[in-house]
Each structure stands twice: as C-alpha cells, then as structure tokens.
Amino acid sequence: TSVEETKNESNCIDVFPNPSDNKSTISYSVDSFSHIEIEIVDMVGNRVSYADRGDQDAGTYTYSFGRIT
C-alpha cells in the first residue's frame, strides 16, 4: 500500500478597496505543484465567490473577480 500526503493550507489575503470597485485582482504564489481553490468571503464569513483554479505548478499567479455586493 502507499500513502499520498496532501498539504492543505489556507491563507487569508486582504483585498482593498473593500468593498471593491468594479474589479479586484489578487496575486498569490504557489511553492510547489498544488491544486488551488480560491474562496472569497465577506467580513462575517459568508462565501461570496469561489474558483477552482485546478492544478498549478510553482509560480506566481493572479485571479480577478467582479464586484462583490
């Protein structure tokens, strides 16, 4: 048998201005090949946006999203 290790890590990124104008872009870095999911939550923890970015190699990426109301 084999065991596959999965690194599950969450990072909180402040996005300004908040509330955002028409569009916001966040930058993030991936240390090693990983499956990336991005969840945008409001100040009380309600999910307002979700993106499954799929598997990504190490590097720096950006994600843009529309206005959150």
Side-chain angles (χ1 to χ4, degrees), residues 45-56:
N46 298 315
R47 180 193 284 188
V48 295
S49 181
Y50 172 82
D52 186 337
R53 304 286 288 171
D55 295 331
Q56 295 184 325

Side-chain angles (χ1 to χ4, degrees), residues 39-51:
E39 182 177 43
I40 309 296
V41 296
D42 63 17
M43 293 183 67
V44 294
N46 298 315
R47 180 193 284 188
V48 295
S49 181
Y50 172 82

Side-chain angles (χ1 to χ4, degrees), residues 12-41:
C12 183
I13 302 170
D14 289 327
V15 177
F16 291 98
N18 188 0
S20 65
D21 293 337
N22 298 319
K23 182 173 136 182
S24 293
T25 301
I26 58 173
S27 296
Y28 61 95
S29 296
V30 178
D31 294 332
S32 60
F33 182 79
S34 301
H35 185 86
I36 304 299
E37 296 174 342
I38 297 174
E39 182 177 43
I40 309 296
V41 296

